Each structure stands twice: as C-alpha cells, then as structure tokens.
Amino acid sequence: MDYLAENVSFETAESFLEKINAKFKLLVKFPKIGRGRDELYLGLRSVPLED
C-alpha cells in the first residue's frame, strides 16, 4: 500500500486494499473457489482480484 500511496495516489492504494479485503472475506466463506493450480503446488488455488 505504501508504494501505491507514494507513487500513484492514496486513493488508488486505499481502493486496492479494499478490493483485497473483500476478496479475503469471500475466501473465508468459500475457501474452495478459484482455479486449482496443482501444477505449481499440490492443493494451491488462485483467485483473480477482479473479475
């Protein structure tokens, strides 16, 4: 967040952090969402920040 706030804008950094927090809340409710990434690590899943 510091990098974005210093190099882009505080508003951009704050918006990015809000998106991450919202995604974490979704992951808490639905931990199996996202794409399986067993080719990287067995059991790993990835979820895009934005759809």
Side-chain angles (χ1 to χ4, degrees), residues 31-49:
K32 297 289 187 177
I33 65 171
R35 177 178 167 220
R37 299 300 305 262
D38 288 337
E39 75 278 7
L40 298 175
Y41 188 82
L42 190 60
L44 181 68
R45 304 190 72 73
S46 65
V47 180
L49 182 58

